């Protein structure tokens, strides 16, 4: 049920057959590339009750996993009204990890937004990752493993997902859009850039691209107030969402540099093509590169768990100075 990334799938299949699956995994990759899908398959395989291929998809445990209500698959998230996963949550996980599973032989903790773990929270997990009970497994999902401490990464096996090839992407789109003709499928394959979530994403993900395009448009206007207003919306996002908006903004700016050499060329995200063109027509290469540098610094700060609302305001000022 997971297309592409054949080497990773072969590795995981071998681990499951030989009962050698690492007890702590990090799954990384771009937004929409399938990190959560793969994590769900691995978690289901671990709790599956079949004596043969796992996950079987038909046993009671697999059906519970598919419904999202398996007692031994625990999704770890930030507490209500908090934008990070704090040390108290991590300590509770570490303590609970020693408790025997409810239904079967294994239990799995899934951190779907591992970037939200504060440094103290990560430190609180070190001991349990170093000496994990044989029935407990951890899966950390993040865009970039560098957002996790080296001490965490050294205790985990990292799986870095790659975009789908054209044939796999087309097969997925044919299944998802059975009524689409060849021309429509060609456009979707091109738009996807090998990342299924680009064309199958939820409305919320599309909004993040719109955030980035709005900021790019403000930069092209070279109006300080417009830039500040565009960045205010980022302050209300989660840390992971803020990082994704800045990643998308960086891609838009990279595409804007290409317009100077090939105005009819393809862009990474066709939905933001107009924004890339506007930036290309308004800003010099030097100014665009300066803004990209500020974005890289801001993303590094975000992934180091610096308050991202503060970073958004600081970045708005720096970008304004760069383009004016």
């Amino acid at each position: 049920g997971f297309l592409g990334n054949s080497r990773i799938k072969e590795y995981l299949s071998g681990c499951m057959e030989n009962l050698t699956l690492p007890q702590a995994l990090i799954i990384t990759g771009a937004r929409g590339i399938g990190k959560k899908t793969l994590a769900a398959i691995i978690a289901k395989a671990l709790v599956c009750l079949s004596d043969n291929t796992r996950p079987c998809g038909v046993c009671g445990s697999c059906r519970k996993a598919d419904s999202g209500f398996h007692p031994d698959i625990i999704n770890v998230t930030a507490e209500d009204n908090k934008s990070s996963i704090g040390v108290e949550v991590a300590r509770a996980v570490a303590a609970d990890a020693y408790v025997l599973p409810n239904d079967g032989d294994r239990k799995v903790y899934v951190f779907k937004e591992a970037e939200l773990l504060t440094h103290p929270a990560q430190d609180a997990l070190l001991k349990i990752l170093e000496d994990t009970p044989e029935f407990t497994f951890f899966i950390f999902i993040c865009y970039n493993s560098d957002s996790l401490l080296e001490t965490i990464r050294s205790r985990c096996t990292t799986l870095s997902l790659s975009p789908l090839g054209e044939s796999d992407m087309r097969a997925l789109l044919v299944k998802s859009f059975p009524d689409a003709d060849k021309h429509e499928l060609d456009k979707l394959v091109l738009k996807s850039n090998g990342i299924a979530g680009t064309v199958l994403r939820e409305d919320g993900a599309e909004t993040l691209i719109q955030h980035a395009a709005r900021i790019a448009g403000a930069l092209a206007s070279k109006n300080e107030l417009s830039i500040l207003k565009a960045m205010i919306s980022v302050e209300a996002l989660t840390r992971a969402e803020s990082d994704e908006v800045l990643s998308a903004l960086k891609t838009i700016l990279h595409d804007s540099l290409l317009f100077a050499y090939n105005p009819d060329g393809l862009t990474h995200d066709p939905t933001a093509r107009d924004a890339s063109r506007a930036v290309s027509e308004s800003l010099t290469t030097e100014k665009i590169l300066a803004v990209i540098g500020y974005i890289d610094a801001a993303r590094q700060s975000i992934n180091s768990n610096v308050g991202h609302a503060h970073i958004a305001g600081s970045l708005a000022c720096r970008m304004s100075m760069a383009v004016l």
Side-chain angles (χ1 to χ4, degrees):
F2 191 77
L3 295 175
N5 290 278
S6 57
R7 291 184 179 180
I8 288 178
K9 290 193 295 187
E10 289 171 4
Y11 166 73
L12 291 173
S13 294
C15 288
M16 291 302 298
E17 290 175 6
N18 299 316
L19 302 179
T20 56
L21 186 73
Q23 288 182 266
L25 294 171
I26 297 173
I27 303 178
T28 70
R31 187 182 185 90
I33 206 166
K35 301 184 295 297
K36 292 179 182 178
T37 299
L38 180 60
I41 294 173
I42 295 172
K44 183 164 67 172
L46 285 169
V47 300
C48 177
L49 302 177
S50 172
D51 293 327
N52 299 309
T53 301
R54 296 182 178 181
C56 69
V58 296
C59 71
S61 191
C62 281
R63 291 198 298 272
K64 287 181 183 179
D66 287 334
S67 70
F69 293 102
H70 197 293
D72 294 322
I73 299 177
I74 303 100
N75 293 308
V76 184
T77 59
E79 295 179 300
D80 290 343
N81 302 319
K82 293 188 177 180
S83 59
S84 61
I85 301 175
V87 65
E88 293 303 323
V89 173
R91 287 172 179 165
V93 168
D96 188 64
Y98 289 103
V99 179
L100 290 172
N102 291 279
D103 279 12
D105 298 328
R106 304 180 185 89
K107 64 193 306 185
V108 191
Y109 294 89
V110 182
F111 293 77
K112 291 186 177 180
E113 294 181 311
E115 294 98 338
L116 299 184
L117 283 162
T118 63
H119 285 184
Q122 294 181 52
D123 287 337
L125 293 172
L126 293 180
K127 185 176 184 298
I128 190 66
L129 292 177
E130 185 70 32
D131 186 23
T132 308
E134 62 180 9
F135 53 79
T136 301
F137 292 78
F138 294 90
I139 302 176
F140 299 92
I141 302 172
C142 55
Y143 299 116
N144 187 341
S145 61
D146 288 341
S147 61
L148 300 176
L149 296 174
E150 171 59 29
T151 47
I152 292 286
R153 300 199 302 269
S154 66
R155 290 165 169 78
C156 302
T157 296
T158 300
L159 307 177
S160 299
L161 299 185
S162 301
L164 295 179
E166 182 177 339
S167 59
D168 281 333
M169 191 71 239
R170 188 175 295 276
L172 176 61
L173 292 173
V174 167
K175 182 178 180 180
S176 301
F177 304 102
D179 297 327
D181 59 28
K182 182 180 182 303
H183 178 66
E184 291 172 326
L185 289 174
D186 288 342
K187 290 174 62 177
L188 289 172
V189 169
L190 181 62
K191 178 181 178 181
S192 72
N193 202 30
I195 298 177
T198 302
V199 291
L200 303 177
R201 69 179 79 174
E202 299 175 354
D203 291 342
E206 187 69 39
T207 300
L208 298 182
I209 300 298
Q210 293 170 353
H211 273 299
R214 189 181 310 116
I215 297 169
L219 291 171
S221 74
K222 294 191 283 191
N223 182 285
E224 183 176 7
L225 182 58
S226 295
I227 296 171
L228 291 173
K229 286 182 176 179
M231 287 299 295
I232 285 175
S233 62
V234 177
E235 297 181 5
L237 301 176
T238 66
R239 187 182 305 277
E241 289 172 338
S242 297
D243 182 63
E244 184 64 13
V245 168
L246 295 185
S247 175
L249 177 59
K250 180 179 177 180
T251 299
I252 291 172
L253 295 178
H254 272 302
D255 285 343
S256 72
L257 295 172
L258 300 178
F259 270 105
Y261 302 97
N262 184 8
D264 297 321
L266 300 176
T267 57
H268 289 87
D269 193 330
T271 62
R273 183 181 179 86
D274 290 342
S276 295
R277 179 185 289 108
V279 171
S280 177
E281 294 174 349
S282 176
L283 304 180
T284 64
T285 297
E286 290 74 16
K287 290 183 176 182
I288 294 172
L289 290 174
V291 173
I292 289 174
Y294 290 137
I295 291 172
D296 285 339
R299 293 186 67 200
Q300 185 175 2
S301 296
I302 287 175
N303 289 322
S304 296
N305 286 315
V306 178
H308 64 284
H310 166 74
I311 293 170
S314 175
L315 177 59
C317 295
R318 291 182 177 182
M319 292 192 302
S320 296
M321 294 175 62
V323 302
L324 294 178

